[in-house]
Coordinates of all heavy atoms in Angstrom, one line a residue:
R38 N -38.1 24.4 -2.9 CA -38.6 23.9 -4.2 C -40.1 23.9 -4.2 O -40.8 23.5 -3.3 CB -38.2 22.4 -4.4 CG -36.6 22.4 -4.6 CD -36.2 21.0 -4.8 NE -34.8 20.8 -4.9 CZ -34.2 19.6 -5.0 NH1 -35.0 18.5 -5.0 NH2 -32.9 19.5 -5.1
K39 N -40.6 24.4 -5.3 CA -42.1 24.4 -5.5 C -42.4 23.5 -6.7 O -41.6 23.3 -7.5 CB -42.6 25.9 -5.7 CG -42.4 26.8 -4.4 CD -43.0 28.1 -4.7 CE -42.9 29.0 -3.4 NZ -43.4 30.3 -3.7
K40 N -43.7 23.2 -6.6 CA -44.1 22.3 -7.7 C -44.0 23.1 -9.1 O -44.4 24.3 -9.2 CB -45.6 22.0 -7.6 CG -45.8 20.8 -6.4 CD -47.2 20.5 -6.3 CE -47.4 19.6 -5.2 NZ -48.8 19.2 -4.9
P41 N -43.5 22.5 -10.1 CA -43.4 23.2 -11.4 C -44.7 23.5 -11.9 O -45.5 22.6 -12.1 CB -42.6 22.3 -12.3 CG -42.8 20.9 -11.7 CD -43.1 21.0 -10.2
K42 N -44.9 24.8 -12.3 CA -46.2 25.2 -12.9 C -46.2 24.9 -14.3 O -45.2 24.8 -15.0 CB -46.4 26.7 -12.6 CG -46.5 27.1 -11.2 CD -46.8 28.5 -11.0 CE -47.0 28.9 -9.6 NZ -47.3 30.3 -9.4
K43 N -47.4 24.8 -14.8 CA -47.6 24.5 -16.2 C -47.0 25.5 -17.2 O -47.2 26.7 -16.9 CB -49.1 24.3 -16.5 CG -49.4 23.6 -17.8 CD -50.9 23.6 -17.9 CE -51.2 22.9 -19.4 NZ -52.7 22.9 -19.6
D44 N -46.3 25.1 -18.2 CA -45.7 25.9 -19.1 C -46.8 26.6 -20.0 O -47.6 25.9 -20.7 CB -44.7 25.1 -19.9 CG -44.0 26.0 -21.0 OD1 -43.9 27.2 -20.7 OD2 -43.6 25.4 -22.0
P45 N -46.8 27.9 -20.0 CA -47.8 28.6 -20.7 C -47.6 28.5 -22.3 O -48.5 28.8 -23.0 CB -47.9 30.0 -20.2 CG -46.4 30.2 -19.8 CD -46.0 28.9 -19.4
G46 N -46.4 28.1 -22.7 CA -46.1 28.0 -24.1 C -45.8 29.4 -24.6 O -45.6 30.4 -23.8
V47 N -45.6 29.5 -25.9 CA -45.2 30.7 -26.5 C -46.5 31.7 -26.7 O -47.5 31.2 -27.4 CB -44.6 30.6 -27.9 CG1 -44.1 31.8 -28.5 CG2 -43.4 29.6 -27.7
P48 N -46.4 32.9 -26.2 CA -47.6 33.8 -26.3 C -47.9 34.2 -27.7 O -46.9 34.3 -28.6 CB -47.2 35.0 -25.4 CG -45.8 34.9 -25.3 CD -45.4 33.5 -25.5
S49 N -49.1 34.6 -28.1 CA -49.4 34.9 -29.5 C -48.8 36.4 -29.8 O -48.6 36.5 -31.0 CB -50.9 35.0 -29.7 OG -51.5 35.9 -28.7
A50 N -48.5 37.1 -28.9 CA -47.8 38.4 -29.2 C -46.3 38.3 -29.4 O -45.8 39.3 -29.9 CB -48.1 39.4 -27.9
A51 N -45.8 37.2 -29.2 CA -44.3 37.0 -29.4 C -44.0 37.1 -30.9 O -44.7 36.5 -31.7 CB -43.9 35.7 -28.9
P52 N -42.8 37.7 -31.2 CA -42.4 37.8 -32.7 C -41.8 36.4 -33.0 O -41.3 35.6 -32.2 CB -41.3 38.8 -32.6 CG -40.8 38.8 -31.2 CD -42.0 38.5 -30.3
F53 N -42.0 36.0 -34.2 CA -41.5 34.8 -34.8 C -42.1 33.5 -34.1 O -41.4 32.6 -33.8 CB -40.0 34.7 -34.8 CG -39.3 36.0 -35.2 CD1 -38.5 36.7 -34.3 CD2 -39.4 36.5 -36.5 CE1 -37.9 37.8 -34.6 CE2 -38.7 37.5 -36.9 CZ -38.0 38.3 -35.9
K54 N -43.5 33.7 -33.7 CA -44.1 32.6 -32.9 C -43.9 31.3 -33.7 O -43.7 30.2 -33.2 CB -45.4 33.0 -32.6 CG -46.2 31.9 -31.8 CD -47.6 32.2 -31.5 CE -48.3 31.1 -30.9 NZ -49.7 31.3 -30.6
E55 N -44.4 31.3 -35.0 CA -44.4 30.1 -35.9 C -43.1 29.5 -36.0 O -43.0 28.3 -35.9 CB -45.0 30.4 -37.3 CG -46.5 30.8 -37.2 CD -47.0 31.2 -38.6 OE1 -46.3 31.1 -39.6 OE2 -48.2 31.5 -38.6
E56 N -42.1 30.3 -36.2 CA -40.6 29.8 -36.3 C -40.2 29.0 -35.1 O -39.6 28.0 -35.1 CB -39.7 30.8 -36.7 CG -39.8 31.3 -38.1 CD -38.9 32.5 -38.4 OE1 -37.9 32.7 -37.7 OE2 -39.2 33.2 -39.3
L57 N -40.5 29.7 -34.0 CA -40.1 29.1 -32.7 C -40.8 27.8 -32.3 O -40.2 26.8 -31.9 CB -40.5 30.1 -31.4 CG -39.6 31.3 -31.2 CD1 -40.2 32.3 -30.2 CD2 -38.3 30.8 -30.7

Side-chain angles (χ1 to χ4, degrees):
R38 290 181 186 176
K39 290 183 179 179
K40 288 181 184 177
K42 291 183 180 179
K43 192 180 177 183
D44 181 25
V47 181
S49 53
F53 317 114
K54 180 184 174 181
E55 287 178 8
E56 286 176 19
L57 282 169

